[in-house]
Amino acid sequence: MNDNLSFSLVGDIGGTNARLALVREGEVRPEAIEVLPCGDYDNLDSAITAYLAKVGVASVTDACLAVASPVPEPNDPDAQVRMTNNHWRFGVQAIREAFGLRHFKVINDFTAMALGVPHVPQDHLVHVCGGAGKSTRPRLVIGPGTGLGVSGLIPIRDGWVPLITEGGHVDFSPTDETEIAVLRILKARFGRVSVERILCGQGLLNLYQAHAEIQGVAAPLDEPHKITMAAVEQADPLARQVLRHFCGILGRVAGDGVLTLGGLGGVYICGGIVPRFIDFFLESPFQTGFEDKGRMRPLMESTPVYIVTEQYTGLLGAGEALRNPEV
């Protein structure tokens, strides 16, 4: 890399991999992207050191990392980050001092996902349904993955303010006899049943097992990706029924989110699940569930829904967070 240029470091750190990249001052588009297995490094500092050596940059001025873990308060001098699904632990001040950073931000991974959405190129957005929307209104960002991430983007004069929410933990609300039976089965297992108990990877498996119990049939598939594959390839009628049901519930939950947030600027579906079966999703009951809001149907029909296929939305969001004073 050119040593005369000033770079900042951005990262999207999950349980398994750390995606690290550089951004030029004032920009958000990442470059020199590398994916480092977290298990190969003792801690964050050794991973950053290895990354900078690999891309040939001696130092960076600022950094923003999106992490899949609870995030400390921004101005806490003793802030510690403990990754939820790997062994990394680090102090925010210690990292700042170790790499001579002017500014070091640590944000939630789904907050970064939301912040990245306005920077996703149009060719990485798949239109699902809805009209043009209203650019001056909030946007809803929702993403089934390991869990169910939910965020919002509120427009301000020169950008966006992300909402940090726990919207994935709202109650699951059944709408027919089958769903009442699903709720009863999951309630016996978990007590309270949030929508995340259904709308995530493990949730898809929960839903599949519940349907099998209701129908009195075997449930041989034991991993979410097997259910998805069997449904898409039409190899298992139960899997296909369950994945369609999953999409319909996601439509209803996304629609409720739009009504709650006033998200007429659009819905952006992120996460690692839906982009794997786009064609299936486009023919699923998602749109029916999304638009079926009684007197609010015209509002829902005018609200656009997109699937985000950009691979590095979280890195785009970390780049945006560096220059966004609201984060």
Side-chain angles (χ1 to χ4, degrees), residues 191-209:
R192 179 177 179 270
V193 181
S194 68
V195 291
E196 188 177 73
R197 293 294 190 186
I198 294 172
L199 297 179
C200 68
Q202 179 60 44
L204 178 60
L205 184 59
N206 294 340
L207 187 63
Y208 172 76
Q209 292 169 342

Side-chain angles (χ1 to χ4, degrees), residues 30-188:
E31 52 188 279
I33 299 171
E34 297 285 344
V35 180
L36 282 63
C38 297
D40 290 355
Y41 301 91
D42 292 337
N43 216 328
L44 173 65
D45 54 353
S46 59
I48 293 176
T49 298
Y51 169 77
L52 294 178
K54 186 170 185 177
V55 299
V57 170
S59 63
V60 290
T61 56
D62 304 299
C64 179
L65 301 181
V67 297
S69 70
V71 175
E73 290 298 319
N75 297 318
D76 181 359
D78 301 317
Q80 299 285 319
V81 176
R82 297 176 178 270
M83 296 299 297
T84 302
N85 293 313
N86 68 41
H87 62 282
W88 285 6
R89 310 282 186 270
F90 61 90
V92 173
Q93 184 62 26
I95 294 294
R96 182 183 289 116
E97 293 175 357
F99 294 96
L101 301 171
R102 292 182 309 185
H103 305 288
F104 179 34
K105 292 183 177 182
V106 180
I107 63 176
N108 176 265
D109 60 340
F110 208 78
T111 300
M113 192 77 74
L115 282 169
V117 159
H119 300 286
V120 171
Q122 195 65 34
D123 60 356
H124 284 169
L125 296 174
V126 177
H127 183 254
V128 177
C129 58
K134 298 182 179 181
S135 61
T136 59
R137 297 297 296 273
R139 300 181 183 184
L140 176 72
V141 184
I142 188 167
T146 304
L148 177 64
V150 180
S151 183
L153 288 170
I154 308 302
I156 56 176
R157 183 183 299 273
D158 296 315
W160 301 88
V161 177
L163 297 181
I164 301 172
T165 86
E166 294 296 343
H169 296 280
V170 300
D171 290 327
F172 169 56
S173 301
T175 59
D176 58 29
E177 293 301 319
T178 297
E179 289 188 352
I180 290 172
V182 168
L183 176 63
R184 187 177 300 116
I185 290 167
L186 296 186
K187 187 174 178 61

Side-chain angles (χ1 to χ4, degrees), residues 2-15:
N2 189 336
D3 289 336
N4 294 322
L5 294 175
S6 176
F7 291 103
S8 294
L9 176 73
V10 293
D12 185 2
I13 303 175

